[in-house]
Amino acid sequence: LLLMEVGSTEEKSELVKSEDPQIEPLAPCDPKDSTKPTPFDFITENVYITERGTSREGKRNKRMMCDCQFDPECDDMSDACGDSCLNRLLMIECGSRCPCGEYCNNKRFQRAQYASVNVFRTEMKGWGLETTQDIKQYSFVMEYCGEVCTLEEFEVRRKEYEKDKRRHYYFMSLKADEILDATRKGNLSRFINHSCDPNCETQKWTVNGKLRVGFFALKNLFAGDELTFDYQFQRFGEAAQKCYCGSDNCRGYLG
């Protein structure tokens, strides 16, 4: 079993498109039908299996208010909590008290400002996800959504999935004691494949006091490009899986 780690530097037939992240893009289908992705419950934000109170750090981050100033009559719209926003530099999204109000540009997770994407069948890697629009370097692509599990629940699910002989796993480390699992519930980001030379990376952002994981472009992307990131797998005793990313610097195996 492999567990994806979040790292940050700061399965071709057109089956599924997502223009609006609020619309469920996958209809129920036969899990034995290889012409369609395995069905899952589409969610628009993380689901906590065991609800926890916000940590002290989370509460402090939730209260963080930037010092950005914006006048819609004379300032450029991009200046409202733009690149110099203190919260943005700290990977914290602005909250309801942001001085820029409705013009704030630092609420990408909360507003689900995702790139337009398409699920497609790859030659060697099963299902994959491609962008249907150009994406600028460093831009937010989409959030990785799933069920947030404790380590105890993670162990239960890990054994259950192994018993069921599942071929694909969607675990991602969120915190030292929390794991994201997009196996049963998730969004289209679960189709993003691994690459040893990825064009996206994951970043952890604090949103209203809770950690969330997002994909960000490492380079300029163009419509039709497959979205990839480095899984940075932590392996639990099993043999390493062969990598089919095809990049020049391919490590040969996952984990």
Side-chain angles (χ1 to χ4, degrees), residues 165-184:
K165 301 185 184 301
R166 287 183 177 268
R167 294 181 55 200
H168 304 289
Y169 299 94
Y170 303 92
F171 291 120
M172 183 181 288
S173 174
L174 184 62
K175 295 168 59 177
D177 58 348
E178 290 182 345
I179 306 295
L180 269 174
D181 179 14
T183 305
R184 298 167 177 163

Side-chain angles (χ1 to χ4, degrees), residues 104-121:
C104 175
N105 287 307
N106 187 31
K107 294 183 179 181
R108 294 169 293 182
F109 284 79
Q110 296 171 73
R111 293 170 177 162
Q113 293 175 331
Y114 300 167
S116 177
V117 296
N118 174 56
V119 176
F120 72 103
R121 185 77 178 180

Side-chain angles (χ1 to χ4, degrees), residues 171-203:
F171 291 120
M172 183 181 288
S173 174
L174 184 62
K175 295 168 59 177
D177 58 348
E178 290 182 345
I179 306 295
L180 269 174
D181 179 14
T183 305
R184 298 167 177 163
K185 297 180 180 182
N187 63 3
L188 296 187
S189 67
R190 72 201 292 277
F191 293 106
I192 300 179
N193 282 316
H194 164 83
S195 175
C196 298
D197 184 22
N199 55 27
C200 295
E201 68 172 3
T202 53
Q203 295 179 7

Side-chain angles (χ1 to χ4, degrees), residues 1-2 235 237-242 253-254:
L1 180 63
L2 301 173
R235 193 168 66 251
E238 294 188 354
Q241 294 183 10
K242 186 173 177 59
Y253 294 92
L254 304 180

Side-chain angles (χ1 to χ4, degrees), residues 129-241:
L129 197 68
E130 64 184 1
T131 175
T132 58
Q133 67 176 74
D134 294 347
I135 302 175
K136 292 183 178 180
Q137 186 179 24
Y138 308 127
S139 295
F140 178 55
V141 179
M142 63 173 46
E143 181 178 5
Y144 188 85
C145 290
E147 296 177 284
V148 181
C149 308
T150 62
L151 291 179
E152 293 75 17
E153 175 64 21
F154 163 67
E155 283 297 329
V156 171
R157 293 186 177 210
R158 179 175 71 86
K159 294 175 182 178
E160 177 186 336
Y161 296 163
E162 286 180 338
K163 183 178 179 181
D164 292 343
K165 301 185 184 301
R166 287 183 177 268
R167 294 181 55 200
H168 304 289
Y169 299 94
Y170 303 92
F171 291 120
M172 183 181 288
S173 174
L174 184 62
K175 295 168 59 177
D177 58 348
E178 290 182 345
I179 306 295
L180 269 174
D181 179 14
T183 305
R184 298 167 177 163
K185 297 180 180 182
N187 63 3
L188 296 187
S189 67
R190 72 201 292 277
F191 293 106
I192 300 179
N193 282 316
H194 164 83
S195 175
C196 298
D197 184 22
N199 55 27
C200 295
E201 68 172 3
T202 53
Q203 295 179 7
K204 292 180 182 178
W205 282 65
T206 301
V207 182
N208 290 324
K210 292 185 177 180
L211 275 182
R212 292 163 71 166
V213 177
F215 291 97
F216 291 78
L218 287 171
K219 59 187 74 173
N220 289 327
L221 303 177
F222 303 96
D225 286 349
E226 180 181 1
L227 301 174
T228 60
F229 76 109
D230 189 340
Y231 284 3
Q232 302 182 59
F233 273 137
Q234 174 185 350
R235 193 168 66 251
F236 289 84
E238 294 188 354
Q241 294 183 10

